[in-house]
């Protein structure tokens, strides 16, 4: 287990915390994009980009969408871009499955808020890494997650394994998480852990908190199992490769 250091406690409100780490070689096996591909790597946490009130509004979008389905296991996802929604042991396309009824679930205001939040996170990442936000593109998968204590039924429910985003999804260059619920208040366990050689660096979720990091193996990480309650978050990821870019979701 080594040493554990808490990078961000739930009780603190952080304007800005950034830790630089040496870049891995993962980016060398992909096409490099000058002015975007990480040359400076690291991880940051901020509570100053998204307000708690905005996080609550976004959580309600997630709750409404996920109420239409949900996994049989402990981890459910909702992807507004592709329409992917956990349903039982599988995924369905929300937009095809529910058709015009989707207009009763989401509003244009919901999607406008989602866009605005995504843009602010993108700008914050660009600022932290000294790149142009115009050189970054949203990439898939970008999704809401709802994690509870239900036993895993498929490998999709086993969210707690250590992994590297760029290995799992080759397009990722920068990953961000916006937390939509509070550690120790809404759920127990479920902390985000960077796994460094000989030590762990932990982030305790707090509604409105954004954590972001370069996606290579310099940032191997995992999420603790949730012990009680329900943890909501949204993963928003960016690529430097325009071929892997996706647009903001639109209400069908």
């Amino acid at each position: 287990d080594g040493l554990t250091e808490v990078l961000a406690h739930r009780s603190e409100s952080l304007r800005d915390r950034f830790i630089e780490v040496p870049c891995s070689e993962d980016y060398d096996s992909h096409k490099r994009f000058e002015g975007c591909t990480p040359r400076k790597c690291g991880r940051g946490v901020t509570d100053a980009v998204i307000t708690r009130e905005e996080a609550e509004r976004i959580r309600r979008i997630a709750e409404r969408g996920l109420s239409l389905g949900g996994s049989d296991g402990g981890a459910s996802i909702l992807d507004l871009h592709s329409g992917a929604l956990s349903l039982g042991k599988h995924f369905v396309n929300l937009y095809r499955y529910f058709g015009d009824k989707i207009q009763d679930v989401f509003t244009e205001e919901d999607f406008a808020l989602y866009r605005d939040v995504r843009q602010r996170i993108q700008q914050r990442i660009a600022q932290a890494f000294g790149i142009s936000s115009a050189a970054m593109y949203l990439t898939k998968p970008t999704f809401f997650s709802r994690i509870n204590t239900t036993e895993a039924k498929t490998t999709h429910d086993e969210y707690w394994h250590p992994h590297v985003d760029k290995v799992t999804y080759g397009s990722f260059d920068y990953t961000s998480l916006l937390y939509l619920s509070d550690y120790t208040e809404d759920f127990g366990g479920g902390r985000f852990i960077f796994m460094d050689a000989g030590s762990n660096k932990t982030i305790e979720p707090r509604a409105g908190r954004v954590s972001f990091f370069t996606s290579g193996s310099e940032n191997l990480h995992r999420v603790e199992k949730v012990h009680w309650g329900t943890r909501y978050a949204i993963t928003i990821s960016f690529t430097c490769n325009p071929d892997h870019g996706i647009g903001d979701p639109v209400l069908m």
Side-chain angles (χ1 to χ4, degrees), residues 4-56:
T4 298
E5 180 190 334
V6 179
L7 283 186
H9 290 274
R10 185 193 73 85
S11 57
E12 55 188 337
S13 179
L14 294 172
R15 172 123 208 103
D16 197 22
R17 184 165 289 169
F18 184 81
I19 292 151
E20 195 167 340
V21 297
C23 291
S24 65
E25 294 174 0
D26 296 359
Y27 308 98
D28 297 339
S29 53
H30 295 263
K31 186 176 174 187
R32 295 189 76 90
F33 292 85
E34 203 50 51
C36 181
T37 298
R39 292 201 176 278
K40 169 185 173 182
C41 292
R43 51 193 72 149
V45 189
T46 177
D47 296 312
V49 174
I50 310 299
T51 67
R52 287 184 71 82
E53 188 252 340
E54 287 168 331
E56 280 161 19

Side-chain angles (χ1 to χ4, degrees), residues 192-224:
F192 183 97
I193 300 170
F194 290 110
M195 303 176 70
D196 296 338
S199 72
N200 287 338
K201 309 288 193 308
T202 303
I203 293 172
E204 299 178 350
R206 164 190 166 103
R209 171 166 288 169
V210 177
S211 73
F212 58 89
F213 48 95
T214 44
S215 307
S217 48
E218 67 278 358
N219 282 315
L220 173 71
H221 60 273
R222 69 181 182 90
V223 173
E224 289 178 323

